[in-house]
């Protein structure tokens, strides 16, 4: 199994480190031809406007949409924004997931926070059901989950911070910044 | 659920999200929009770019908060702002208006000639300049969550940024080759906290994100710094003091993403118009050099 990480900008090295730690072959993706031979793709944290700008310029938008029709893709934070179909402002989006996202929903950096999150789906990779240490950085919120998309995790107040639609996964937070690899292993199960 | 706000992980984490990106100096909301449109990962809001601070002389202070707020309103990407070295009240004001990162910067006139700000006490994260590993680790010891080379701001001459990046990265390589019993003496020589020296030795890198700054004016300059091993670049005067800022900004963004692909670098370097008029570092007197500020 070979997993690519979109390496236009952002914390792609952190994702690559986790994948290598759990024994997966990896590749960095900056150009369309680098998608060939991959079984799945992670879109990391970073700035979604920068991803959109570079993906458009290097002709990645359509190839990424095609890839998402047939393969698993997981977006963390900016990656989740990029996967969504609507962010209520004008910027390039892949529109693969039937979710509406609000950018910087918690405010500016001084409001960034960590919390323990209950993610029932992670029991599939670890029966302990221990809470997941979620790191939110100028984080987006999943405002609405529509069509085939489903809620994967919510804050105490019910606001949605993770969603899944078939083999597509979106998280508002950053599992790649923790030493907990359950989300990465959960993503691999969507491919196998 | 327990919620912990503004932890050191959060502060370092925002810088991790900026990696592989370009942070651009802007002086108006219009500049900020051009920067965002070109693919900047963040903007540095200030009243004058370093080249103008250098030309104007006089005391350079924190920018007007009203002007910074206008820039914060204009873009969706993070906004940074500068305070003077040691001026913790300017930092309190910048935190109060909600900037995303504070640059405690040698480009402004220092407010304290012996001490930097104690940055752990703030909720907002700080980036600080350095010339070598000792200076980087002193700043991290005070709570900086991101480091950049100082270079020599406002010159368009990349030579000092290269010198500072080579110092930091070279000293890290040296540290990794030392036996444990020699590390205390090396910490003393660097003037750096021992625990951080040992952490760097274990990690093989700084414990925070490390950008290049000070003199970057072309896509090739930016890619040079990336190939030397930094995580991203700040471009100050290099963009909005050039002939075609939007085009140059977009080209530098592409050069940082594709920093190891000479064919793409060749393509993005074409027809960019006039670069900023540079000043050779070797033509500056010692008083004109900003990088010496910081203790």
């Amino acid at each position: 199994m070979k997993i690519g990480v979109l390496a236009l900008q952002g914390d792609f090295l952190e994702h690559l480190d986790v994948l290598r730690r759990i024994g997966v072959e990896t590749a960095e993706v900056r150009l369309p031809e680098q998608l060939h031979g991959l079984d799945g793709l992670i879109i990391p944290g970073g700035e979604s406007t920068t991803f959109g700008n570079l993906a458009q310029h290097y002709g990645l938008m359509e190839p990424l949409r095609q890839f998402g029709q047939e393969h698993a893709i997981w977006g963390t934070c900016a990656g989740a924004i990029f996967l969504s179909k609507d962010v209520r402002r004008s910027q390039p989006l892949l529109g693969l997931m039937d979710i509406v996202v609000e950018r910087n929903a918690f405010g500016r950096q001084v409001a960034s926070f960590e919390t323990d999150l209950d993610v029932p789906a992670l029991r599939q990779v670890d029966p302990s059901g221990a809470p997941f240490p979620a790191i939110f950085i100028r984080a987006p919120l999943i405002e609405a989950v529509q069509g085939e998309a489903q809620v994967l995790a919510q804050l105490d107040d019910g606001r949605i911070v993770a969603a899944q639609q078939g083999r597509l996964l979106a998280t508002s937070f950053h599992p790649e910044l923790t030493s907990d690899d359950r989300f990465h292993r959960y993503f691999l199960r969507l491919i196998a | 659920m327990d919620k912990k706000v503004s932890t050191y992980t959060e502060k370092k984490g925002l810088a991790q999200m900026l990696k592989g990106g370009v942070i651009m100096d802007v002086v108006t909301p219009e500049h900020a929009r051009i920067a965002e449109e070109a693919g900047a990962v963040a903007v540095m809001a200030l009243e004058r770019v370093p080249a103008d601070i250098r030309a104007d002389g006089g005391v350079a202070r924190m920018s007007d908060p009203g002007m910074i707020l206008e820039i914060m309103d204009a873009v969706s990407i993070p906004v940074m702002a500068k305070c003077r070295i040691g001026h913790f009240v300017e930092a309190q004001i910048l935190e109060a208006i909600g900037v995303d990162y504070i640059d405690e910067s040698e480009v402004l006139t220092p407010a304290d000639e012996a001490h930097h700000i104690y940055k752990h006490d703030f909720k907002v994260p700080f980036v600080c300049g350095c010339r070598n590993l000792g200076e980087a680790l002193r700043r991290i010891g005070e709570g900086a969550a991101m480091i950049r080379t100082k270079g020599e701001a406002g010159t368009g001459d990349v030579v000092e940024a290269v010198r500072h990046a080579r110092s930091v990265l070279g000293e890290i390589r040296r540290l990794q080759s030392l036996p444990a019993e020699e590390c205390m003496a090396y910490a003393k020589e660097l003037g750096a906290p021992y625990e951080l020296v040992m952490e760097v030795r274990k990690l093989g890198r700084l414990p925070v994100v490390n950008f290049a700054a000070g003199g970057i004016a072309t896509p090739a300059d930016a890619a040079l710094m990336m190939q030397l091993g930094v995580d991203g670049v700040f471009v100050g005067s290099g963009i909005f003091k050039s002939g075609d800022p939007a085009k140059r900004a977009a080209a530098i963004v592409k050069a940082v993403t594709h920093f190891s692909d000479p064919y793409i670098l060749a393509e993005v370097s074409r027809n960019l118009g006039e670069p900023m008029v540079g000043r050779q570092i070797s033509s500056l007197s010692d008083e004109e050099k900003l990088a010496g500020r910081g203790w």
Side-chain angles (χ1 to χ4, degrees):
Chain A
M1 191 192 299
K2 191 172 178 184
I3 307 294
V5 182
L6 193 67
L8 296 172
Q9 188 272 318
D11 71 336
F12 53 89
L13 292 175
E14 283 78 350
H15 274 293
L16 290 165
D17 280 348
V18 182
L19 291 170
R20 285 174 196 140
R21 219 160 55 218
I22 56 180
V24 180
E25 202 188 334
T26 60
E28 295 179 13
V29 177
R30 292 182 179 82
L31 296 168
E33 56 267 30
Q34 292 162 344
L35 287 167
H36 293 315
L38 297 180
D39 300 297
L41 181 77
I42 295 177
I43 307 178
E47 281 305 318
S48 58
T49 49
T50 306
F51 296 175
N53 179 305
L54 289 162
Q56 272 190 332
H57 187 85
Y58 288 99
L60 266 161
M61 297 298 284
E62 269 317 306
L64 283 171
R65 288 182 184 124
Q66 286 294 323
F67 188 86
Q69 299 296 330
E70 295 146 22
H71 300 90
I73 304 185
W74 171 25
T76 56
C77 193
I81 296 168
F82 200 41
L83 276 177
S84 75
K85 63 165 189 186
D86 185 3
V87 295
R88 304 201 188 289
R89 70 190 292 279
S90 164
Q91 69 178 74
L93 300 172
L94 293 177
L96 279 165
M97 284 185 77
D98 220 352
I99 55 175
V100 181
V101 172
E102 183 191 356
R103 288 185 59 198
N104 305 328
F106 299 91
R108 305 196 72 95
Q109 172 62 15
V110 288
S112 290
F113 65 98
E114 295 173 53
T115 193
D116 285 336
L117 206 59
D118 184 32
V119 190
L122 293 183
R123 283 176 211 273
Q124 294 173 34
V125 289
D126 171 28
S128 82
F132 192 87
I135 298 174
F136 294 83
I137 299 173
R138 282 174 51 93
L141 203 56
I142 301 171
E143 227 177 76
V145 164
Q146 299 160 345
E148 304 283 293
Q150 292 181 323
V151 175
L152 215 54
Q154 289 164 289
L155 295 173
D156 275 349
D157 57 14
R159 290 187 288 178
I160 305 163
V161 291
Q164 182 175 343
Q165 178 180 331
R167 288 191 288 190
L168 304 172
L169 197 58
T171 57
S172 300
F173 48 94
H174 295 280
E176 75 279 14
L177 297 185
T178 70
S179 54
D180 192 327
D181 58 23
R182 282 178 293 165
F183 249 104
H184 286 80
R185 287 189 284 132
Y186 181 76
F187 178 63
L188 296 186
R189 283 174 59 105
L190 300 181
I191 297 163
Chain B
M1 281 182 257
D2 243 13
K3 188 170 150 184
K4 290 172 282 182
V5 178
S6 291
T7 61
Y8 195 49
T9 302
E10 294 290 339
K11 293 174 173 178
K12 290 196 297 184
L14 178 56
Q16 285 171 281
M17 299 311 139
L18 304 176
K19 289 198 299 180
V22 184
I23 300 168
M24 302 180 191
D25 278 5
V26 297
V27 301
T28 64
E30 180 56 23
H31 279 184
R33 278 188 285 266
I34 292 171
E36 182 176 44
E37 193 70 18
V41 289
V43 292
M44 178 75 69
L46 69 179
E47 277 164 354
R48 292 177 290 171
V49 295
D52 289 334
I53 291 175
R54 197 175 272 292
D56 297 352
V59 177
R61 310 179 177 90
M62 174 187 80
S63 298
D64 184 328
M67 169 268 177
I68 298 169
L69 283 164
E70 281 176 32
I71 288 174
M72 287 163 60
D73 279 344
V75 291
S76 67
I77 55 180
V79 175
M80 302 185 167
K82 290 182 193 288
C83 74
R84 285 180 264 179
I85 288 173
H87 206 315
F88 50 86
V89 173
E90 284 186 349
Q92 290 164 6
I93 292 169
L94 293 174
E95 178 175 88
I97 65 170
V99 300
D100 296 297
Y101 240 93
I102 294 177
D103 184 3
E104 187 185 17
S105 177
E106 70 284 357
V107 168
L108 304 183
T109 311
D112 189 322
E113 292 197 321
H115 307 289
H116 284 250
I117 296 170
Y118 186 70
K119 294 167 273 284
H120 286 293
D121 279 351
F122 285 80
K123 282 195 287 183
V124 60
F126 282 76
V127 55
C128 287
C130 75
R131 287 162 297 177
N132 50 51
L133 182 58
E135 197 172 13
L137 295 184
R138 289 195 295 279
R139 297 295 83 79
I140 295 168
E142 294 155 357
M146 179 179 185
I147 288 293
R148 57 171 175 77
T149 60
K150 286 182 173 170
E152 192 56 46
T155 60
D157 187 346
V158 79
V159 66
E160 291 300 297
V162 169
R163 189 194 317 281
H164 300 157
R166 282 203 184 276
S167 293
V168 172
L169 299 164
E171 283 158 350
I172 292 173
R173 286 188 289 268
R174 157 112 204 271
L175 178 58
Q176 286 188 287
S177 71
L178 292 181
E181 68 272 20
E182 292 181 17
C183 291
M184 183 58 89
Y186 195 49
K188 184 180 167 194
E189 184 188 321
L190 293 172
Y194 178 69
E195 288 70 24
L196 287 174
V197 167
M198 295 312 276
E199 190 182 347
V200 168
R201 180 168 175 265
K202 200 171 92 188
L203 291 172
R205 56 172 173 78
L206 292 180
V208 302
V209 165
N210 178 25
F211 269 45
I216 294 159
T218 68
D221 289 348
L224 171 67
M225 299 312 299
M226 293 298 289
Q227 287 197 29
L228 283 173
V230 301
D231 298 315
V233 302
F234 284 85
V235 185
S237 320
I239 289 171
F240 288 98
K241 284 283 159 189
S242 74
D244 188 343
K247 198 166 178 187
R248 183 166 295 264
I252 294 176
V253 168
K254 291 177 187 119
V256 168
T257 293
H258 298 283
F259 68 88
S260 57
D261 186 332
Y263 296 97
I264 291 184
L265 294 174
E267 184 207 311
V268 304
S269 299
R270 286 188 341 206
N271 305 320
L272 292 182
E274 282 299 303
M276 72 178 280
V277 179
R279 284 196 63 182
Q280 259 185 45
I281 307 274
S282 51
S283 73
L284 299 180
S285 67
D286 279 349
E287 303 89 84
E288 287 180 291
K289 290 182 184 164
L290 305 176
R293 298 166 168 180
W295 352 103

